[in-house]
Structure formats: C-alpha cells, structure tokens
Amino acid sequence: MTENNILDSDITYLKGVGPLRAELLKKELALSKFGDLLYHFPFRYIDRTQFHKISEIIPANISVQLRGKVVKMETLGQGRALRLIATLKDDTGSIQLVWFKGIKWVKQKLLLQQEYLVYGKPAFFGRTLTITHPDFEKVDSGFELGARLQAVYNSSEKLNAVGMNSRSFNRVIALLLPKVSSVLYENLKPTLINKYHLLSHVDALIKIHQPSSLEEIHKAQLRLKYEEFFFIQLRLIQQNIFRKEKIVGYIFPHVGAKFNTFYKEGLPFELTKAQKRVIKEIRHDFNSGRQMNRLLQGDVGSGKTLVALMCMLIAVDNNFQAALMAPTEILAQQHYNTIVNFLQGIEINIGLLTGSTKVARRRVLLEDLRTGKLDILLGTHALIEPTVVFHNLGFVVIDEQHRFGVQQRAKLWAKGKQHLPHVLVMTATPIPRTMAMTLYGDLDYSVIDELPPGRKEVKTYHYSDAKRIALFGFIKKQINAGRQIYIVYPLIKESETLDLKDLNDGYNSISREFPKPEYQISVVHGQMKAKDKEYEMQRFKRGETQIMIATTVIEVGVDVPNASVMIIENAERFGLSQLHQLRGRVGRGAEQSFCILMSSYKLSAEASTRLETMVNSSDGFEIAEADLKLRGPGDLQGTQQSGILALKIADIVKDENILRYARNDAKEVLGDDPQLDKEENKDIKKFFLAQKKSQPNWGIIS
Ligand code: ADP
Ligand code: MG
C-alpha cells in the first residue's frame, strides 16, 4: 500500500515541535509519527474549577489541587540539599512548595504575589505541610478562557528542559487533531457500538485529549480500552482459527508399546485426574489432523514434566521424534536425568544437547538425529541452531516458556519437515487467566489444577536478621534429622559481582557455623562452568553435601526430594513468582518442609505485601494474581519479549471485564466471518490490516 497516510507523517513537521524536540520525543517517549502523538493519551485530567482549601488538607497519599498566591520564595541548603521553597497561601492557610530539581526553571516561572493553581501530593515534613515538585499553572486573564478540564501528559525531565511539558503537549495536540481527524474512520460496527453505547472512534480520540466533562473522559476511555483489547483479541483468535483450519498436522493414531509399557510398568505412581485429563486433551489434538499449539499451565510440582514425557512417548510410538527445550543447562540436564531414569527398561534413544556438549559427542548426536536413530532430544536453546536437523520431528515441548523469545520458539517450530510439529508450551509458574488470554490468546489452553496426593504444604515464615542465631539452630536440627537445606541469594544480572559478594559472605558465615568435616556445603552460581555446577548439583542430590548455597540458577526445575528447607536471603529483592518458584524446590518428599524468607527489618510497603502473600498462600494461581495486582502487567515475566502487553490505555488488571467482553465479541465476529469478508465487517478489517502493517513484529509464528 503506497497510500500516503497523514498519521505516518514525521512529527518534526508539526508546528510547535521542530527537529530538536522531535528528536527527544523519539528518544524519550518513542513518539515519532503523527499517529504516535495521537495515541499519546493523557494520564490524568485537571479540573480547573475544583480545588481544596489548604486548611482542610489531610495528607493521605493522594493528590490535591489548590488555588493560592505565592507569598514567599527562598533557596536553602547547598549541594544535594539545595532546594527552593515557596509558600503558597489561600484564605484558609499556607503550605510549602519544595523543589530539589529544576530550581532555575521554577524560579523564572514562579512569581511572587501571583495566583496559581497547584497540583501535587501533600505530606508533613516535620510539622510543616509541604508538596514536593508540584505542578502549577498561572491564574491570569488567559486562565478563565482555558478549558475546564485539562489533559495532563506524561513528559520527561529532558523534554521539560526543552519546553516540552504537559501544557506544550496540549498545544501540539490541539494543532494535530484538526489535521488528522479527516482520515480517522469508524473501526467497529454498529452492533458493537450500540451494545455498549460506545462513542465513535473519532469522537473518542478527540475527547480523550479535549474532554468537556468527566463523563466524556469516562466514555472516551471506555471506547479506546475496548477497542484496544478488541483488536488484540481479533488478531490472536484469528491466528488460532487459521491454524486450526489451515495448518495440517501429523496424526499420531496409536498409543503404542512405549507409552503402554511405561504407563503400566514404569510409572511409580498413579497419575492425578488433572494429568489424565490433560493427556487426553493432547491426544485429541494429536488425532485431529491439525497442528497442535497448546499452553500447559500448572503450579510448581504439579507434574507438567511427566505429562510432557508421556506425550513424547506417544510421538515416538508413532515413529516420530520429539524434542524438549529448557531454558538453562542445569534444567536440561535435570530433565535428561529424570527422563532417562523414568524410562529405564524401555527401548528408546534419548540425547542431550547443550552449549557444553563436546564436539565429538555432538557429532554423533546430530548424526543420529538426522538418520532418525535418536527418538528424543532434550536440550537448551542449542536445539535451535541450524546444524540441528531432525529426521522427522513431530512434537516439541518448550519448558519454562517465558524465558524464550518468540523468535527462538519459531525457529524450533520450523524444524518440522512435511508439517509443523505439534507444540506444547509450559509455564514455570502459573500466570493469571487474563494475562494468559492476552499473551497466549492464540494458543489452546490446558491446566493441571491439582497437585499429586500426599504433598504437605510448605510452612513459610518471614524473619528479619535478628532471628539468625535461631535460624542456625533450626538448620542444625534439620540436618541432624537427615534433611538437606537450600540457601539462595538474589541474582541481579547488572551486578553479578556484587551478588557474588553477597553469596561469598554468606558462604563464609555459613561455613564458620557449619564446619567440615561434620558438614559439607555445595556452592552453585551463574559464573561457574556448567560442568562444575552439575558436579555440585549431583553431590547435593546424592546427599554428600547437606547445604546448597546458590544464586537463582537453581530456581527452575531442580528436584531433590530430601531437601526440606529453603532459605531465601534478601527475600525482599525477589519477585513473587520467583519466590514461589524457589519455594517449589522443597516439599517434594514425604517430610514436612519449610521456606524461610529472610529480609532486613525495614521494608517497603510493596515488599512486605509480597512476603506476606508468600506466608499466607501456597497457591500459585493466587500468587500470580497478587503479583499482577502489585506490580502491574508491565514487569511480569514474559511480557518484555512479547511486546503484546505494551497497552496504550487499557490495563489487564483494572480492565479485566472489558477484556472479557472484547474477547467474546472478537470470537463472535470471527466465528461468523473468519476472514472479515462480510460487508458489515469491512471497517474492522480495514483498521485491522492497517494495524497489522504498522506493527509487523506482532505476528507470532506466521
Ligand atoms: P512441574 O514440572 O509441574 O513443576 P514435575 O513434573 O517436575 O512438576 O513433578 C514434580 C514432582 O512430582 C516430580 O518428582 C514428579 O516425579 C512427581 N510427580 C509427578 N506426577 C506425580 C503423581 N501423579 N503422583 C506423584 N508424584 C508425581
Ligand atoms: Mg518443571
């Protein structure tokens, strides 16, 4: 399409922007085209007719709007403590406004005896009521002419420095709207618009920037949120439909000797109902003639790996190869050990390929893989390298799916020959349903919602350093009773040396407290060679060491049933899903297990909520919901690579209901008209295609 769309024009050419600001807008806020600016929505609105009286302020962590005169200004302190303090006075009292940054700029703007509208969060500083870095606007002759409701835009310090503050956004967008409104068109159909009494697309885009009432703001937001979700869901669901209708898959009709022998003789326990159900769902897909793309969710320890293994056996029984890709060497090695162990006595060839597989071994493996002698290949992302060629890959399992980028996954898919292989992706820790709908809405969904019987709930405690002596006593008791202990230190990539110091300090104090030869200690961290890590893991696994000191490299998958205590140092530095994952390393054997979260005494409110959540809940799905609510979706695992959750206005936590409606509507529309070819859907289609074109990275496997 060569149509010259004004929405694609460079913002440099917009009046009031110019090259310097344009450059910064690109860098700081990723705004480069007219269309980007149009979708740079305000994050709040000022109602210029509403204000509080200073005497009635109760600091409660909420923002207030005041109207008063600046009666005094002074600069105090120096260096970092340098600050500008202005006193604002109204009929009822006075309050201090404080700036630590941008003092020069504020001094120029703020005039004595001038009236201002001031917005910010009041707090007591000692006994003085203050607002730090408030927004302010002059109340002068122009003020009364301004709109009652004024949009407030996200800007940045650098942008402010070149005069691109929230008010400049207002001005620039006021110039933009008349230019672009003629090319905007309705992108939904009347039935949907009427169903929820939505504003039109054009109206919503104008009103979101220039509302004249609170109700208008609300309606504009509703319309734009709905629309945002609707088009995401449309894309996901269309991919799913397309796959089901068009992408032919291998058929695995038999449940053969290997599966049956393992099921009847090899399996040391009864499958849970949930495991059986999921295997059935997958078998159904294997027989459908269509390529399977399925997400398997289940809590830590719910037995996902076993389900994956049994499905790999079905593939092998049908003379296909299967592969399992894990995110780390430790985990790949662990899967290999577990699976080889499970499959003793069954005639099957299993290989392990990782970055540290020796050249000679690798050559043999790759040869066997190509000729079809190898049945199952396990490994890390080494599996996606071009030299890895399968004879007939029929089924791919991707473990801890969030750690792989979309690209990496797609490369593995592409290794099928005649057809794409069936794909099962598994999450390490559960993610909330709404999140799954948005991130993996194109996949079919299975869940293991039941833990194997006999698991005792892990008892979780939160201690501060004051309890350390008591903790040592507890560890000793556990070791004397034959148990093993994990002690985990946080790992933050950016400063691995710093983390290593924490770990080394920890090691020193632990080895003083637990001296050789009575006690043996293993250490594993990310900077060790894979071989050395594995050696230490195995020593611990065999029970030759009682304490395992590690960074989060042990987070995923490690399985040592005799380990019954998980101690997490600086627990406040971990996210909830990571804490839950770590806790899942214990409680795998018959003994009562414990998880002890160590933290400093002083914690942020968010950190203490996190630790409290851990103490109170052991349900991964519940914890995932709490995590989503605490942190917002932007930080959750897996979202960075996907980019899908870079939502402009909707919020998958707060707007969960809108998401559900939008998803159902998208399903209905496509169910009736999968290619959007009907006349009634032509506007939807037009917008859909335009969006697809402007966001090419979005597509998943096509
Ligand atoms: P996940 O990958 O979901 O975290 P795993 O597959 O690693 O869980 O299983 C956790 C542990 O539970 C393993 O030791 C596994 O052998 C065991 N397990 C799996 N399924 C069952 C079952 N039905 N009954 C008893 N133990 C089971
Ligand atoms: Mg697992």
Side-chain angles (χ1 to χ4, degrees), residues 267-273 275 298-307 335 338 342 399-400 426-428 448 451-453 455 557 559 561 581 584-585 588:
L267 197 60
F269 36 68
E270 178 77 6
L271 292 177
T272 62
K273 271 203 215 87
Q275 284 171 316
D299 210 341
V300 188
S302 61
K304 297 184 290 290
T305 312
L306 188 71
V307 166
H335 279 316
T338 313
F342 265 136
D399 197 11
E400 320 299 357
M426 309 197 290
T427 55
I448 305 185
L451 291 179
R455 292 270 170 85
D559 195 8
Q581 210 13 259
R585 299 306 109 210
R588 300 186 155 228

Side-chain angles (χ1 to χ4, degrees), residues 89-102:
K89 197 168 174 304
D90 70 4
D91 311 340
T92 69
S94 62
I95 187 169
Q96 291 200 337
L97 312 178
V98 184
W99 284 268
F100 293 95
K101 286 181 190 160

Side-chain angles (χ1 to χ4, degrees), residues 214-495:
L214 293 174
E215 200 201 339
E216 270 184 13
I217 295 176
H218 186 75
K219 288 192 129 181
Q221 286 173 334
L222 175 66
R223 159 76 207 219
L224 294 170
K225 285 173 177 180
Y226 175 85
E227 187 180 305
E228 185 165 40
F229 279 141
F230 179 80
F231 282 98
I232 290 176
Q233 292 303 324
L234 207 58
R235 200 183 292 216
L236 291 168
I237 293 163
Q238 200 186 46
Q239 269 167 12
N240 188 311
I241 293 176
F242 175 78
R243 198 150 33 219
K244 282 198 184 136
E245 297 201 334
K246 293 279 157 48
I247 303 189
V248 176
Y250 298 116
I251 297 183
F252 301 162
H254 321 289
V255 171
K258 294 188 172 68
F259 181 95
N260 282 328
T261 311
F262 175 66
Y263 189 58
K264 293 193 188 115
E265 292 160 25
L267 197 60
F269 36 68
E270 178 77 6
L271 292 177
T272 62
K273 271 203 215 87
Q275 284 171 316
K276 285 185 189 161
R277 185 188 65 237
V278 172
I279 292 176
K280 226 183 237 164
E281 286 165 355
I282 294 172
R283 279 197 51 203
H284 180 265
D285 289 351
F286 280 172
N287 274 316
S288 69
R290 305 290 160 206
Q291 186 225 4
M292 174 179 84
N293 263 283
R294 192 168 274 282
L295 172 68
L296 174 56
Q297 283 225 71
D299 210 341
V300 188
S302 61
K304 297 184 290 290
T305 312
L306 188 71
V307 166
L309 169 63
M310 296 186 66
C311 295
M312 289 198 279
L313 291 179
I314 298 178
V316 175
D317 271 334
N318 287 275
N319 297 315
F320 281 91
Q321 292 172 305
L324 185 153
M325 181 160 79
T328 65
E329 290 218 20
I330 288 197
L331 189 53
Q333 178 76 48
Q334 165 112 19
H335 279 316
Y336 180 77
N337 298 345
T338 313
I339 288 176
V340 166
N341 194 27
F342 265 136
L343 297 186
Q344 270 170 17
I346 293 175
E347 205 181 305
I348 193 163
N349 287 313
I350 306 168
L352 174 70
L353 181 70
T354 69
S356 57
T357 305
K358 292 264 165 45
V359 177
R361 172 79 190 127
R362 173 182 297 253
R363 196 176 301 131
V364 176
L365 261 181
L366 292 181
E367 180 60 23
D368 288 353
L369 195 63
R370 195 165 31 233
T371 59
K373 203 169 143 197
L374 201 66
D375 300 305
I376 294 179
L377 182 63
L378 311 172
T380 54
H381 44 260
L383 295 196
I384 61 180
E385 279 163 24
T387 49
V388 179
V389 179
F390 289 83
H391 175 63
N392 58 353
L393 178 62
F395 177 45
V396 170
V397 181
I398 299 181
D399 197 11
E400 320 299 357
Q401 114 83 26
H402 64 270
R403 298 213 170 188
F404 294 103
V406 169
Q407 304 292 336
Q408 287 173 311
R409 279 187 275 148
K411 278 189 187 153
L412 195 50
W413 272 220
K415 290 188 186 285
K417 280 241 167 88
Q418 188 189 354
H419 303 309
L420 293 178
H422 296 295
V423 176
L424 183 70
V425 297
M426 309 197 290
T427 55
T429 26
I431 53 174
R433 193 77 171 98
T434 46
M435 181 91 155
M437 276 194 305
T438 321
L439 273 178
Y440 307 112
D442 60 327
L443 308 185
D444 291 317
Y445 179 82
S446 290
V447 60
I448 305 185
D449 48 8
E450 176 186 10
L451 291 179
R455 292 270 170 85
K456 286 203 183 108
E457 196 164 304
V458 178
K459 288 194 173 145
T460 303
Y461 302 94
H462 171 208
Y463 292 147
S464 71
D465 279 330
K467 284 258 180 141
R468 200 162 285 277
I469 305 289
L471 178 69
F472 286 152
F474 173 73
I475 297 178
K476 274 184 193 147
K477 254 201 211 143
Q478 288 286 314
I479 294 179
N480 289 341
R483 305 285 95 73
Q484 289 165 285
I485 318 287
Y486 291 107
I487 305 178
V488 177
Y489 291 83
L491 177 122
I492 296 176
K493 277 225 181 66
E494 299 91 90
S495 72

Side-chain angles (χ1 to χ4, degrees), residues 484-488 554 564-568 582-583 585-586 594-597:
Q484 289 165 285
I485 318 287
Y486 291 107
I487 305 178
V488 177
I554 66 151
S564 65
V565 182
M566 168 61 69
I567 296 163
I568 304 174
L582 283 168
R583 180 168 60 184
R585 299 306 109 210
V586 297
F594 302 88
C595 174
I596 295 165
L597 308 168

